[in-house]
Amino acid sequence: MDAVTSKAKPSKGKIGNANIEAKREAYYARISKMDLAPLWKVLKDIIPAEPKTVCAPAIWHFKDVKASIHEAGGLITAEEAQRRVLVIENPNLRGKSRVTQSLYAGYQLIMPGEVAPPHRHSASAIRFILDGGGAYTQVDGEKTIMNSGDFVTTPHWTMHDHGNASKEPMIWLDVLDVPTVNFFETSFYEHFENEKQNTRREDQDSLARFGSGVLPDGTDTSLNRSPIINYPYAKMKPVLDRLVKAGDVDPRHGARVRYANPFNGGWVMPTMGANLAMLPKGFKGKEYRSTDSAIFVCQEGEGTTKVAGQTFEWGPKDLFIIPSWMKYSHQAKKDSVLFSISDRPAQELLGIWREQA
Ligand code: 1HN
């Protein structure tokens, strides 16, 4: 037993012992029975010198998937499905219900007259509205009507339901921190029998109260997420236009804003952070990379993004993934608006987020 460890004399940092490989293998087999394993066999894999993503860069063109999303409307009701969603699965992570290692994404369809009943869960959600308009989401009693390009938040453990009182089907992108919550094995879920919550506050109430530069007396500003549940595109786009007009265009990201928590200027949620950027026509972005794998959606315009030797051509509502630490650059053929979301806030809170300009 101790032939390997105690008697052998190290030479140049190595054990000079005949048949050492065979002895090691026998030793690994013995310790394996005690659920033990040698670190030295895996050290390089578990501590790579720089991020090695398992996630693939990938693009989904909206024109290719839209008909299949609508088809689900004839196969299952929102009521039966609870949420009628096609999960967007990273090609390298099939079957794992995720688009990056930490984030879930899906296309949700809600038909005219349908209701998706109230529930709440530990996972936080955001919606980015892709197609159609006029359906609502209700979050803890505040109802908000959603239109193309709106950014809607459903923070962890808030009760939420959706309904479509409009005359057209609506499709939006859901992004949730489900893989993160499940990584920690901390998921709770509650379903409510009532078809709808009681509405206590009307459209844009939280934006008016908390996003106007004033705060109502008695506001608890220690909340670790934004109190605003809808950041309407109609209010965000003019901010981007102002930045472009003033020349505040970052060479990598374009004229970009962060969806902010008005209490502290931070991200909207601790686990997910989102941006909206205008790339002026002719924009040729400098190469960039960061450790957060990101989901991008083109809200309007047309352009390309180069990543890992590939060129993604995107137009309105196309969605693409840039994995951790892969270099990428954006080019715009028209004035273009890109939405993006990633787990950057969680990485920042852990002190492990990095970027390379
Ligand atoms: C969820 O609650 C919604 O409320 C959508 O619309 C997608 C995916 C996984 C877990 C919960 C929604 C979801 C989800």
Side-chain angles (χ1 to χ4, degrees):
M1 175 85 184
D2 56 6
V4 175
T5 50
S6 52
K7 285 182 197 148
K9 286 241 154 45
S11 89
K12 282 191 191 159
K14 287 197 174 156
I15 291 173
N17 195 319
N19 302 322
I20 188 67
E21 276 310 325
K23 283 174 183 165
R24 284 177 182 168
E25 290 305 324
Y27 169 73
Y28 302 152
R30 285 197 305 279
I31 63 171
S32 176
K33 291 186 184 127
M34 293 180 276
D35 295 319
L36 297 173
L39 171 63
W40 57 89
K41 295 264 284 184
V42 294
L43 188 57
K44 282 211 176 90
D45 292 332
I46 65 171
I47 313 279
E50 53 179 62
K52 268 192 196 156
T53 184
V54 293
C55 188
I59 184 162
W60 287 259
H61 291 107
F62 195 63
K63 66 170 174 31
D64 296 340
V65 296
K66 184 174 172 177
S68 297
I69 300 167
H70 277 163
E71 210 181 323
L75 295 172
I76 191 161
T77 61
E79 200 187 347
E80 191 189 348
Q82 290 276 322
R83 300 294 189 259
R84 190 201 288 110
V85 182
L86 300 189
V87 181
I88 305 168
E89 292 198 326
N90 190 283
N92 281 1
L93 300 167
R94 295 303 314 275
K96 295 191 169 179
S97 305
R98 66 190 62 180
V99 76
T100 69
Q101 279 287 57
S102 62
L103 299 180
Y104 158 100
Y107 294 110
Q108 181 156 177
L109 170 73
I110 185 157
M111 302 298 284
E114 282 191 327
V115 166
H119 67 200
R120 62 180 174 179
H121 36 68
S122 308
S124 297
I126 69 88
R127 337 238 164 244
F128 188 74
I129 312 311
L130 299 175
D131 200 49
Y136 67 82
T137 280
Q138 188 158 214
V139 182
D140 276 350
E142 178 179 339
K143 194 179 232 177
T144 185
I145 303 293
M146 304 180 290
N147 291 297
S148 173
D150 288 2
F151 173 71
V152 176
T153 66
T154 308
H156 57 90
W157 210 242
T158 52
M159 204 200 295
H160 55 282
D161 59 86
H162 317 296
N164 189 354
S166 84
K167 292 201 161 53
E168 46 177 348
M170 249 185 90
I171 299 173
W172 63 74
L173 170 72
D174 292 310
V175 181
L176 289 93
D177 56 9
V178 166
T180 304
V181 170
N182 285 342
F183 172 78
F184 290 113
E185 301 183 323
T186 49
S187 176
F188 291 92
Y189 172 83
E190 264 177 22
H191 175 76
F192 292 87
E193 288 310 323
N194 295 345
E195 243 188 29
K196 293 180 196 171
Q197 305 174 48
N198 292 325
T199 306
R200 299 188 301 275
R201 291 179 180 175
E202 289 297 338
D203 202 14
Q204 303 211 357
D205 185 88
S206 57
L207 180 67
R209 280 172 194 250
F210 304 113
S212 304
V214 292
L215 293 175
D217 279 359
T219 301
D220 174 8
T221 58
S222 67
L223 208 62
N224 76 345
R225 47 83 175 176
S226 174
I228 298 168
I229 67 156
N230 191 347
Y231 295 73
Y233 188 62
K235 298 221 174 197
M236 305 302 127
K237 172 84 189 309
V239 181
L240 303 182
D241 291 336
R242 270 176 192 276
L243 294 178
V244 171
K245 212 170 158 194
D248 294 329
V249 181
D250 181 90
R252 306 151 308 169
H253 307 301
R256 196 171 78 161
V257 294
R258 177 176 72 250
Y259 292 96
N261 175 344
F263 297 156
N264 58 20
W267 299 103
V268 281
M269 290 171 180
T271 49
M272 297 187 283
N275 295 94
L276 194 68
M278 161 79 86
L279 312 179
K281 182 180 173 177
F283 180 80
K284 284 196 172 57
K286 285 202 171 134
E287 205 169 60
Y288 175 80
R289 65 175 167 177
S290 59
T291 54
D292 51 316
S293 300
I295 304 165
F296 283 86
V297 178
C298 170
Q299 165 60 17
E300 52 179 294
E302 194 187 322
T304 54
T305 295
K306 290 187 186 135
V307 56
Q310 298 179 57
T311 301
F312 291 148
E313 305 214 358
W314 42 257
K317 313 303 168 177
D318 292 346
L319 178 152
F320 59 94
I321 304 301
I322 302 292
S324 168
W325 212 235
M326 281 192 184
K327 290 180 181 163
Y328 67 94
S329 63
H330 300 306
Q331 300 80 38
K333 290 188 185 134
K334 297 181 182 167
D335 281 346
S336 300
V337 177
L338 285 183
F339 167 82
S340 61
I341 181 161
S342 79
D343 62 5
R344 177 172 162 178
Q347 294 191 17
E348 287 181 345
L349 285 167
L350 296 171
I352 55 176
W353 182 79
R354 285 205 206 183
E355 65 178 338
Q356 189 180 56

